[in-house]
Amino acid sequence: MTRILVSEVGPRDGLQSIKAVMPTEAKKAWIAAEAAAGVREIEVGSFVPPSLLPQMADTAEIVAFARGIAGLNVVALVPNARGAARAVEAGVHGISIPFSMSETHSQRNVRKDHPAMLAEIAEVARIAREGGVHFAVGLSTAFGCTIEGAVPEDQVVRLAVAAAEAGAQEFSLSDTTGYADPAQVRRLVRKVKAAVGADKLTTLHLHNTRGLGLANALAGLEEGITTLDSSLGGLGGCPYAPGASGNLVTEDLVLMLNSMGLETGIDLEKLLAVRSILAEALPDEPLYGFTPDAGPMLDYAERIAR
Amino acid sequence: MTRILVSEVGPRDGLQSIKAVMPTEAKKAWIAAEAAAGVREIEVGSFVPPSLLPQMADTAEIVAFARGIAGLNVVALVPNARGAARAVEAGVHGISIPFSMSETHSQRNVRKDHPAMLAEIAEVARIAREGGVHFAVGLSTAFGCTIEGAVPEDQVVRLAVAAAEAGAQEFSLSDTTGYADPAQVRRLVRKVKAAVGADKLTTLHLHNTRGLGLANALAGLEEGITTLDSSLGGLGGCPYAPGASGNLVTEDLVLMLNSMGLETGIDLEKLLAVRSILAEALPDEPLYGFTPDAGPMLDYAERIAR
């Protein structure tokens, strides 16, 4: 049975995109409950300046808590070298830095052009290496940009190679803007794998902005992708890409993968119960997902036992 | 470029599942507007007794109207031979009869067991042949049943073969209950194609009950499916399968297909504009879809020109 890693990004990508600040204790309860449901990797927060994102001010404390959960891979997002140093100090297993394939998006988002980002990636790689933490680069806006429109595939390939030369251990292709279609996912995964090595591109970070999220995930699986980012209740998105909210819904993704006979290790019933923590802590935030309303199929237990 | 037929089933599957009765003139406006947007096939209604489904009482009039639209394939659902005779008389191009793979569902839905349904199919086939109309059998609850749970794949294959022997010209696999997963779609499409002939299974009728609709559609496309049923605004579902509402959303399906470079002949912008007819005629019905909220990608025109 193929083992697929569902990487929960809600505590980072979800929470960073909403106005409400989730109390630290609720974050801990969320992370603990998802881990107990079988989730093996959680992006627990980001090391950005608290003045920019007060939602992430407690990330170091959250990392320390999450590190106490046996078997959980604790990852965090860092925007730059300073964030990387804080992440290493906090004790994460891994860090990732978003590298926007659209230079306009990069400049608006982190005020850095591509050469400046590659210099930052080299510095982050050094910090990660010295700190002994895993380091991934998220190739964001890889499928298109809400400002520039199309992002040439050759540009994504070229920048991925440059990031690998700068020290990136691994990559994810990120559909920050919800632009991807399944044919494009297949093409780009193939091209980037061919350029940086198949083992270096294992992850897709997809959004469901136009409802194509799970179809894109399927296309990725068929191209050998083994890690899929998602967010409980579909919370979140990119605050700098208007209308681009909505990660893949973890509940629907897990239903799909488990039903297909792929092994996620996640107990869907326990996962669905975790929503109540979000609903209680963020009463004004809409939670998405079809499976929570419909429930699993009547023969779900038979499907996953197959 | 591969040509994919998007078959709009909203005027039948959508309207039959809601309480409100859409005025005849609104139905005509809807059908005319979708055809003008490039939709080449519409299931315009069903020939069931008006006492059971008052929403469908005007189907003969709707058929006559739709037949006046050049280039539009006008199909209708019939539950039995009596309905088939009425459909032929009304002048449809094609009819389809749902044949529930779950015998319990069949008995509850149309009070017929499998042998009785096969006898009905033979009679409908005769009427269709004499009337010169195309005749398809919809293998409903093919991916599972809300009453029985799992429906054995061998049973679906066996019943499809029996229906072919009874005179079915063509089949669709219908996920009446929203149970399908992409791996199951691939398996079942392959098995049924192998049993009845690849050219006799061209259509999938999918529901989005658990959010897997477009992923299932993609799996079908990769197995050679060339016709996909969907409903504008995701209107509808099966009134006899609790919680099973929600056809594939035509708008999201067309966005996906067109973006992938598959040819549907449908103008997305014109299609999106048709929603206003539904919103006005059915003000209390929720309309679904992600694309209507997010809009096409900024580079959509480039994608479809590729």
Side-chain angles (χ1 to χ4, degrees), chain A residues 102-122:
Chain A
S102 153
E103 197 155 31
T104 315
H105 182 268
S106 185
Q107 280 163 326
R108 293 229 192 145
N109 196 347
V110 292
R111 294 180 195 171
K112 287 195 179 75
D113 61 12
H114 283 155
M117 273 306 300
L118 286 165
E120 198 76 34
I121 286 167

Side-chain angles (χ1 to χ4, degrees), chain A residues 1 259-261 301-306, chain B residues 153 181 183-184 187:
Chain A
M1 199 143 74
S259 297
M260 289 174 75
E302 290 166 61
R303 285 171 187 255
I304 63 171
R306 201 177 38 220
Chain B
E153 291 172 5
D181 70 66
Q184 188 187 19
R187 276 197 314 273

Side-chain angles (χ1 to χ4, degrees), chain B:
Chain B
M1 200 143 74
T2 309
R3 202 170 161 97
I4 302 296
L5 181 64
V6 173
S7 182
E8 171 66 48
V9 299
R12 196 278 303 170
D13 202 5
L15 293 180
Q16 80 168 31
S17 71
I18 62 175
K19 281 190 184 158
V21 177
M22 188 184 249
T24 305
E25 292 312 307
K27 287 189 187 183
K28 290 180 182 174
W30 177 8
I31 291 163
E34 279 216 38
V39 172
R40 292 175 284 119
E41 180 172 290
I42 302 181
E43 192 173 61
V44 299
S46 69
F47 286 93
V48 290
S51 56
L52 282 182
L53 274 176
Q55 297 93 328
M56 296 293 129
D58 58 2
T59 298
E61 182 180 347
I62 297 296
V63 167
F65 170 80
R67 281 298 309 255
I69 301 172
L72 182 67
N73 198 41
V74 179
V75 294
L77 184 140
V78 303
N80 49 34
R82 194 185 303 181
R86 286 173 59 208
V88 169
E89 194 190 332
V92 297
H93 292 112
I95 56 176
S96 73
I97 186 170
F99 179 22
S100 188
M101 302 293 92
S102 153
E103 197 155 32
T104 314
H105 183 268
S106 184
Q107 280 163 327
R108 293 230 192 144
N109 196 347
V110 291
R111 294 180 194 169
K112 286 194 179 76
D113 61 12
H114 283 155
M117 273 307 299
L118 285 165
E120 198 77 33
I121 286 167
E123 182 63 9
V124 171
R126 191 189 56 76
I127 293 166
R129 205 164 42 238
E130 289 175 3
V133 310
H134 185 268
F135 172 45
V137 168
L139 305 170
S140 62
T141 66
F143 298 93
C145 168
T146 50
I147 311 160
E148 287 191 8
V151 173
E153 291 172 5
D154 290 351
Q155 181 172 318
V156 176
V157 169
R158 183 172 48 77
L159 292 169
V161 169
E165 285 164 0
Q169 278 183 286
E170 209 178 296
F171 297 92
S172 71
L173 277 173
S174 296
D175 185 20
T176 319
T177 54
Y179 270 41
D181 70 66
Q184 188 187 19
V185 168
R186 278 182 174 279
R187 276 197 314 273
L188 202 51
V189 169
R190 278 184 202 180
K191 285 186 182 179
V192 174
K193 273 180 181 270
V196 301
D199 58 321
K200 285 203 170 179
L201 175 61
T202 55
T203 304
L204 285 182
H205 176 96
L206 299 167
H207 283 202
N208 198 33
T209 316
R210 288 167 179 82
L212 273 54
L214 289 179
N216 288 332
L218 181 67
L221 290 171
E222 289 171 352
E223 293 296 333
I225 290 295
T226 52
T227 300
L228 291 161
D229 290 355
S230 64
S231 174
L232 196 78
L235 202 70
C238 177
Y240 305 101
S245 63
N247 283 282
L248 278 196
V249 174
T250 306
E251 301 90 313
D252 292 344
L253 175 64
V254 168
L255 176 86
M256 181 173 93
L257 297 172
N258 285 358
S259 297
M260 289 176 74
L262 300 170
E263 194 193 338
T264 64
I266 299 172
D267 182 315
L268 182 61
E269 202 179 328
K270 285 186 186 168
L271 184 73
L272 290 169
V274 184
R275 285 169 72 96
S276 65
I277 296 171
L278 264 67
E280 202 171 306
L282 303 168
D284 298 329
E285 289 302 324
L287 295 181
Y288 300 98
F290 290 82
T291 304
D293 284 341
M297 310 83 161
L298 200 58
D299 61 335
Y300 175 74
E302 289 166 62
R303 285 170 187 257
I304 63 171
R306 200 177 38 220

